[in-house]
Amino acid sequence: MKTSFAAALSGAITALTFAFSAVAQDLPDALVIGTEGAYPPFNFTESDGNVAGFEIDLGNAMCAHIKVECTWVTQDWDGIIPGLQAKKYDAIIASLYITDERRKVISFSDKYYSVPSRFVVATDSNLDISADGLSGAIVGTQRATSFERYLTAEMPDVEVRLYGTMDEAYLDLASGRVDAVLGDVVALQDGFLGTPEGAGFELRGPEFTNPEYFGYGAGVAVRQDDQAIADAFSEAIKALRENGTYQEISQKWFGLDVYGS
């Protein structure tokens, strides 16, 4: 029995090794990765023009794991999926949530982080975070996002104001031109509440995680005929979770593990 089990285990390991090798053989030597470069602390552009952030560090670690040389380019959010389809880059690592709707046109790796969404409002605001409580309020968020889809579908009496970047939404919130902003909790905390401009503001209301709008976490996006690339990144995510690299990168940027349940 022991011999049979050992043989079976050896066969399984050989099969897995072969599968990973087959994936690796399908990969090019180099990949161009598209990111927004305007969504701190996940991805942002430094004064020297280089991109930095959690997703950049994680993306570089994933590329090193799959032994592929990766370079980064930035793309405005509105054009990030069209840019992938136009072959401006080979993959997207830009907090792009995995949704059933997006899966109709592109493919994804497994998720690499998942955080809930919430509203941020002025501390002295009397807004109640509900469809009725926000009726007539002006709520800002980034266009072409899960946040926009949620507001449009679930809060029809809210005036939704859309922005090219979340930073633009934060500026209007700080100046009083919008009453609230909807975004993901970590980006709101680090990108706005943790800055001087965020003084006097707070997260309010429930956390939103409905997969219909907010998907199943952020994943590496690729063209539908490049599933081998997505699979390689999925394997890298798993390996980096197992060897602790993921947790080190997450701790560096957030002080916690943002992988989610």
Side-chain angles (χ1 to χ4, degrees):
M1 291 295 291
K2 292 182 179 178
T3 301
S4 298
F5 176 78
L9 180 60
S10 176
I13 293 171
T14 300
L16 286 172
T17 302
F18 178 80
F20 292 150
S21 297
V23 169
Q25 289 172 2
D26 289 336
L27 297 180
D29 294 331
L31 293 172
V32 179
I33 309 295
T35 195
E36 184 185 9
Y39 196 57
F42 291 96
N43 63 78
F44 57 92
T45 304
E46 297 184 302
S47 58
D48 61 4
N50 291 321
V51 287
F54 167 74
E55 289 178 299
I56 311 306
D57 285 355
L58 182 62
N60 287 334
M62 290 191 287
C63 289
H65 177 79
I66 62 177
K67 297 179 172 58
V68 171
E69 181 180 349
C70 292
T71 56
W72 295 83
V73 298
T74 56
Q75 168 69 54
D76 289 347
W77 180 257
D78 289 355
I80 203 139
I81 292 178
L84 176 68
Q85 295 170 319
K87 299 188 177 181
K88 291 183 179 180
Y89 30 84
D90 305 298
I92 298 170
I93 301 180
S95 293
L96 191 65
Y97 292 177
I98 304 163
T99 66
D100 294 330
E101 190 68 22
R102 286 173 177 153
R103 279 174 169 160
K104 295 176 183 178
V105 294
I106 57 177
S107 293
F108 286 93
S109 71
D110 294 342
K111 74 164 187 177
Y112 60 84
Y113 85 81
S114 179
V115 296
S117 301
R118 280 186 86 182
F119 286 86
V120 62
V121 301
T123 305
D124 59 3
S125 166
N126 61 3
L127 283 176
D128 173 60
I129 304 303
S130 65
D132 290 338
L134 289 171
S135 179
I138 304 172
V139 178
T141 198
Q142 190 170 19
R143 69 171 59 92
T145 60
S146 299
F147 315 126
E148 177 190 352
R149 287 192 293 278
Y150 176 81
L151 289 169
T152 301
E154 298 294 332
M155 297 190 169
D157 296 325
V158 167
E159 180 182 337
V160 181
R161 191 163 295 175
L162 301 175
Y163 299 88
T165 69
M166 286 299 290
D167 280 346
E168 294 171 1
Y170 300 153
L171 286 173
D172 270 10
L173 180 62
S175 65
R177 287 189 285 269
V178 298
D179 301 306
V181 164
L182 177 63
D184 84 48
V185 168
V186 173
L188 292 173
Q189 287 176 328
D190 288 57
F192 180 63
L193 294 175
T195 69
E197 293 75 19
F201 293 86
E202 66 181 19
L203 295 171
R204 185 177 298 174
E207 296 181 343
F208 300 97
T209 58
N210 188 332
E212 180 181 356
Y213 303 109
F214 302 105
Y216 311 97
V220 181
V222 300
R223 291 179 289 275
Q224 289 185 327
D225 56 356
D226 285 334
Q227 187 60 46
I229 297 174
D231 292 343
F233 278 113
S234 293
E235 194 276 321
I237 294 164
K238 180 181 179 182
L240 295 178
R241 292 280 301 164
E242 289 175 348
N243 68 23
T245 301
Y246 179 99
Q247 291 84 346
E248 290 177 7
I249 295 171
S250 186
Q251 189 70 26
K252 168 187 172 181
W253 287 102
F254 309 113
L256 52 87
D257 188 334
V258 294
Y259 184 76
S261 59

